[in-house]
């Protein structure tokens, strides 16, 4: 069979996979249509390009899905709710922000996915996140559809009372569109326990009943054990599986972690526990470097600084060297774990990591690696786990929180952690099953996309023309 290495066209990103000429033709036509229908949504184009590149050969071999137009339908959200949130500052000024809920696909269960509060939030970013969530949630094996929401509200420079007023106002509109069997939001960047609590309190007041309508709740009001730790811990469990499968181990490895929020902090905690050396943590101002590895007592101080005081890494005086306006990817390491945000690791970063001998990249964030950087990792056989597989632990424990709420009981930490480990190990096995072939290394991008897609495609086909 004649194979073509898919390349770029007019600076656009195209497939990461090898395709036949016919497959590539279909792929390019599909992406052209998608871009025409969704102009200017570059993050959404990027997420679909990776996905469609990974599944196109399989899709074209399955006429029943092709005939049912599954690819065209799955890339069109069920609905997007867009609304204004008006709120009042502490000094009595009126402010208005934009907010959205993208309900992408509920073939497998009620819509599920986080809310992001960050000034950069726009429809394209929420569509890319909602789209990825479909396949991530499918991979967990739990009955959850895909959604995402959020606002361009910036909680960082606001008081607690301002955040409360914003959340309460946002929930007035959001409450019309969510429910424990309809759509169950949770946290993401800028939305943690504080925000989820304000949102949940307002929902209860509006509906006058208790329900598991949000996850990531406080432990005393229906939250699950280990939800706070789940994404970071799950990412490390996945990384361990990936290394073990390729005859490596995590112990003693230097790991460059980016971010210092929920995902990064608990990834670092589990890495330390597993005997790895966490050589960096970062925030949007710069990174902290610990050449000998972050000591556990400094981890506790840093968690206090970031989680409770909402401080900056530049203020940390406990150790490590601070590098302003720089990211961690120039620091020598065997494992890179990007846990901050999308497109935070580009081609120049990938080259530096490869020069320094990186073995594996395991994504804690959603789509942190650009297409060009991913191509470089692929060319050099660097193991690369995409977020939809490796960061699925967060939403998986959210799913377990929904189950516990529905059963009106709560499992202890050991029980939830055991289930989390099993889910991450099953996701790894799914990636191996759908991503092997062609080389000695598993193609995790193909494995996770195809593994997540097959179930959703089968459900959509079975439902007929809905
Ligand atoms: P947090 O808000 O807790 O932390 C975000 C971290 O990333 C902070 O250190 C922040 O630095 C940094 N960051 C955010 N935006 C940027 C930016 N534009 N440039 C540089 N640094 C930035 O969020 P989470 O830890 O929850 O989320 C991190 C990533 O993980 C996101 O991609 C999210 O979608 C993903 N994710 C989260 C899950 C969860 O359960 N929370 C589950 C699965 C994935 P600063 O404080 O300076 O802004
Ligand atoms: O990106 C993600 O998977 C999350 N932010 C978690 C979503 C959830 O519903 O727990």
């Amino acid at each position: 069979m004649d194979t073509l290495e898919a390349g770029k066209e007019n600076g656009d990103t195209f497939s990461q996979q090898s395709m036949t000429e016919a497959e590539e033709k279909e792929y390019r036509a599909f992406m052209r249509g998608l871009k025409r229908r969704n102009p200017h949504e570059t993050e959404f184009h990027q997420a679909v390009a990776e996905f469609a590149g990974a599944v196109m050969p399989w899709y074209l071999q399955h006429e029943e899905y092709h005939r049912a137009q599954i690819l065209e339908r799955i890339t069109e959200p069920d609905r997007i709710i867009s609304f204004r949130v008006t709120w009042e500052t502490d000094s009595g000024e009126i402010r208005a922000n934009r907010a959205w809920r993208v309900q992408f696909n509920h073939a497998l269960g009620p819509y599920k996915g986080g809310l992001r509060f960050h000034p950069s939030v726009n429809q394209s970013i929420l569509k890319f996140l909602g789209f990825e969530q479909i396949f991530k949630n499918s991979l967990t094996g739990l009955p959850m559809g895909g959604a995402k929401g959020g606002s361009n509200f910036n909680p960082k420079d606001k008081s607690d009372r301002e955040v409360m007023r914003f959340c309460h106002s946002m929930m007035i509109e959001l409450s019309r569109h969510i429910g424990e069997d309809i759509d169950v939001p949770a946290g993401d960047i800028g939305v943690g326990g504080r925000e989820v609590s304000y949102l949940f309190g307002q929902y209860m007041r509006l509906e006058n009943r208790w329900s598991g309508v949000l996850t990531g709740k406080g432990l005393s009001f229906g939250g699950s054990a280990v939800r706070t730790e789940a994404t970071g811990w799950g990412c490390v469990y996945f990384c361990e599986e990936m290394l073990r499968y390729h005859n490596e181990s995590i112990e003693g490895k230097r790991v460059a972690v980016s971010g210092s929020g929920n995902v990064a902090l608990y990834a670092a905690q589990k890495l330390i526990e597993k005997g790895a050396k966490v050589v960096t943590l970062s925030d949007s101002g710069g990174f902290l470097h610990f050449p000998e590895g972050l000591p556990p007592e400094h981890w506790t101080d840093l968690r206090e600084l970031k989680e409770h005081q909402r401080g900056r890494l530049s203020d940390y005086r406990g150790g490590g060297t601070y590098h302003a306006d720089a990211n961690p990817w120039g620091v020598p390491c065997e494992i890179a774990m990007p846990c901050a945000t999308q497109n935070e690791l580009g081609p120049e970063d990938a080259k530096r990591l490869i020069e320094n001998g990186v073995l594996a990249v395991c994504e804690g964030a959603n789509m942190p690696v650009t297409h060009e950087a991913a191509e470089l990792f692929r060319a050099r056989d660097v193991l690369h786990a995409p977020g939809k597989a490796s960061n699925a632990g967060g939403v998986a424990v959210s799913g377990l929180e929904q189950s516990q709420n529905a059963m009106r009981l709560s499992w202890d930490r050991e029980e939830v952690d055991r289930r989390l480990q099993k889910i991450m190990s099953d996701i790894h096995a799914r990636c191996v099953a759908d991503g092997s072939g062609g080389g000695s290394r598993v193609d995790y991008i193909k494995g996770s996309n195809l593994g997540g897609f097959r179930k959703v495609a089968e459900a959509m086909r079975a439902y007929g023309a809905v």
Side-chain angles (χ1 to χ4, degrees):
M1 211 185 281
D2 190 18
T3 60
L4 288 178
E5 244 342 279
K8 290 193 215 161
E9 193 175 77
N10 301 329
D12 290 339
T13 55
F14 272 106
S15 166
Q16 301 183 343
Q17 309 291 322
S18 299
M19 291 193 220
T20 64
E21 202 169 341
E23 288 162 355
E24 176 152 347
K25 196 161 161 256
E26 290 282 344
Y27 172 75
R28 285 180 186 272
F30 170 73
M31 285 306 300
R32 265 197 305 277
L34 182 107
K35 289 177 181 181
R36 201 173 46 242
R37 292 189 295 280
N38 303 277
H40 317 301
E41 296 188 340
T42 51
E43 293 85 1
F44 180 53
H45 301 166
Q46 185 184 342
V48 176
E50 177 202 290
F51 159 80
V55 306
M56 189 60 82
W58 181 87
Y59 181 66
L60 294 177
Q61 284 156 19
H62 291 78
E63 180 60 25
E64 66 276 26
Y65 296 127
H66 202 195
R67 234 181 307 119
Q69 296 269 294
I70 298 289
L71 269 197
E72 284 74 9
R73 287 160 59 202
I74 208 169
T75 47
E76 197 62 38
D78 289 349
R79 68 188 64 75
I80 301 177
I81 300 135
S82 155
F83 53 103
R84 184 189 68 240
V85 180
T86 307
W87 56 282
E88 208 179 329
T89 65
D90 288 341
S91 53
E93 287 160 39
I94 300 295
R95 294 276 182 270
N97 284 91
R98 285 183 162 179
W100 294 263
R101 185 71 180 166
V102 179
Q103 296 180 333
F104 224 116
N105 186 296
H106 64 172
L108 298 188
Y111 300 108
K112 182 83 196 89
L115 295 171
R116 178 177 290 191
F117 292 172
H118 193 274
S120 64
V121 164
N122 58 37
Q123 189 168 294
S124 169
I125 289 179
L126 296 179
K127 279 175 73 176
F128 116 65
L129 289 163
F131 182 69
E132 298 252 299
Q133 201 81 43
I134 304 170
F135 311 106
K136 185 195 303 192
N137 293 3
S138 164
L139 284 168
T140 66
L142 300 170
M144 301 183 288
K148 200 83 185 191
S151 171
N152 61 359
F153 174 74
N154 182 6
K156 257 191 221 152
D157 54 359
K158 308 294 186 304
S159 71
D160 281 352
R161 291 167 55 79
E162 288 174 330
V163 171
M164 179 187 75
R165 284 195 290 274
F166 176 82
C167 290
H168 284 177
S169 181
M170 180 174 181
M171 187 48 92
I172 291 175
E173 178 61 37
L174 193 61
S175 65
R176 301 183 223 262
H177 311 286
I178 62 176
E180 71 272 35
D181 292 321
I182 302 169
D183 183 356
V184 182
D188 192 79
I189 291 178
V191 178
R194 175 182 63 170
E195 291 75 16
V196 168
S197 304
Y198 290 146
L199 290 161
F200 185 67
Q202 177 73 325
Y203 184 84
M204 263 207 307
R205 174 161 65 169
L206 292 167
E207 298 289 313
N208 191 29
R209 73 190 177 97
W210 198 103
S211 70
V213 69
L214 288 154
T215 60
K217 300 183 290 294
L219 291 179
S220 59
F221 50 94
S224 174
V226 188
R227 176 60 189 90
T228 304
E229 298 87 346
T231 312
W233 285 14
C235 189
V236 177
Y237 295 148
F238 190 93
C239 189
E240 243 188 331
E241 294 275 347
M242 174 163 81
L243 291 175
R244 194 180 302 130
Y245 191 82
H246 294 89
N247 302 315
E248 288 281 355
S249 104
I250 212 162
E251 205 183 332
K253 297 287 188 304
R254 292 169 298 178
V255 189
V257 178
S258 67
S260 49
N262 173 264
V263 180
L265 281 172
Y266 291 95
Q269 182 188 40
K270 188 55 82 178
L271 285 165
I272 295 170
E273 189 189 309
K274 298 272 179 192
K277 287 184 180 161
V278 176
V279 289
T280 62
L281 283 174
S282 72
D283 62 18
S284 52
F287 77 93
L288 270 177
H289 185 199
F290 298 89
E292 299 309 316
L294 172 67
E297 61 278 14
H298 289 210
W299 179 84
T300 311
D301 293 347
L302 282 163
R303 182 184 58 169
E304 174 61 26
L305 175 76
K306 298 302 287 188
E307 220 174 63
H308 300 122
Q309 298 167 12
R310 301 176 191 277
R312 314 294 310 155
L313 288 184
S314 55
D315 299 332
Y316 188 61
R317 297 284 170 267
T321 338
Y322 182 73
H323 300 264
D325 302 321
N327 71 33
W329 312 127
V331 170
C333 62
E334 285 77 38
I335 300 167
M337 208 170 266
C339 298
T341 193
Q342 65 273 357
N343 292 329
E344 56 164 311
L345 198 164
E348 292 312 311
D349 304 316
K351 283 180 202 156
R352 288 192 293 170
L353 285 164
I354 290 167
E355 274 162 26
N356 285 328
V358 74
L359 285 174
V361 180
C362 195
E363 299 183 358
N366 287 308
M367 207 169 73
V369 173
T370 67
H371 169 78
E372 292 78 9
E375 286 287 86
L376 292 169
F377 291 137
R378 173 190 297 278
R380 299 301 287 264
D381 268 353
V382 174
L383 297 170
H384 178 188
K388 56 171 75 75
S390 46
N391 74 31
V395 76
V397 173
S398 278
L400 300 179
E401 184 171 327
Q402 289 178 267
S403 306
Q404 292 168 81
N405 290 168
M407 291 189 289
R408 296 281 189 266
L409 54 75
S410 55
W411 294 320
D412 61 23
R413 284 177 70 79
E414 289 67 34
E415 175 69 18
V416 179
D417 191 23
R418 190 182 59 73
R419 287 175 186 262
L420 170 63
Q421 291 184 49
K422 168 88 168 61
I423 290 171
M424 298 316 293
S425 157
D426 290 349
I427 295 176
H428 184 267
R430 184 78 262 146
C431 290
V432 172
D434 280 321
S436 296
S440 58
R441 302 208 148 194
V442 177
D443 181 342
Y444 287 91
I445 292 178
K446 180 174 168 211
S448 59
N449 281 291
L450 191 50
F453 174 56
R454 278 147 57 111
K455 259 171 61 183
V456 188
E458 171 49 25
M460 287 175 72
R461 193 202 52 74
Y463 296 151
V466 294

